[in-house]
Amino acid sequence: RDEISSIYDSHKRIEKVLWYTKEILDKDEFLQDIEEKMMHVAKEMTDDYGKDYRNTLDFLLLQIKNIFESNLERYSLYMKAMIEDKEAMIRLGESISGAACALEECQESLDRMIWKEIGHA
């Protein structure tokens, strides 16, 4: 506020008209200086916001990194368990597939025996 008043005061001119003096404002110069001041303030705010944003982001990334590192062993155990479970599921699937094939062979053998007996009857 004081800076704007100072800028305003710096652009006041005194003009003499006949027997009295009149204060006028050089509007173009005043507006130009105000615009420059506002641009400077906006740049400072943008820079400050960028610094705050970067600091917050760095802080959050550091926290995430620390949490990840402190839980790395647990994550490793989970991954190992999931891999073992996957391997166990593959072995179980192979066993079930083998059992299904054996059952199919037994069914075919049984069907042959039944049809053979029916054919002799």
Side-chain angles (χ1 to χ4, degrees), residues 75-93:
Y75 298 150
S76 177
L77 289 174
Y78 288 155
M79 291 300 292
K80 184 178 177 187
M82 287 189 332
I83 289 169
E84 288 173 358
D85 285 349
K86 178 183 175 187
E87 291 169 357
M89 288 295 125
I90 289 171
R91 286 192 303 272
L92 179 61

Side-chain angles (χ1 to χ4, degrees), residues 3-105:
E3 290 181 47
I4 293 175
S5 295
S6 174
I7 293 171
Y8 179 83
D9 289 341
S10 71
H11 290 290
K12 287 194 296 187
R13 306 284 182 257
I14 296 180
E15 201 175 80
K16 289 189 177 188
V17 178
L18 298 175
W19 59 89
Y20 68 94
T21 59
K22 178 174 135 181
E23 243 182 44
I24 61 168
L25 178 66
D26 185 348
K27 293 178 195 173
D28 293 333
E29 291 289 324
F30 172 70
L31 291 175
Q32 184 179 354
D33 285 353
I34 289 294
E35 185 177 332
E36 287 175 14
K37 180 65 181 168
M38 292 305 198
M39 292 296 285
H40 178 73
V41 168
K43 184 184 178 320
E44 285 180 347
M45 289 173 64
T46 301
D47 291 346
D48 289 345
Y49 174 77
K51 288 175 188 172
D52 289 345
Y53 178 81
R54 182 66 191 178
N55 289 339
T56 301
L57 182 61
D58 288 343
F59 178 73
L60 289 174
L61 290 174
L62 182 63
Q63 282 186 322
I64 291 169
K65 178 183 174 243
N66 290 337
I67 290 169
F68 180 78
E69 287 175 350
S70 67
N71 291 315
L72 192 55
E73 188 174 324
R74 185 173 1 151
Y75 298 150
S76 177
L77 289 174
Y78 288 155
M79 291 300 292
K80 184 178 177 187
M82 287 189 332
I83 289 169
E84 288 173 358
D85 285 349
K86 178 183 175 187
E87 291 169 357
M89 288 295 125
I90 289 171
R91 286 192 303 272
L92 179 61
E94 290 168 352
S95 295
I96 291 172
S97 178
C101 287
L103 277 173
E104 192 174 319
E105 289 174 11

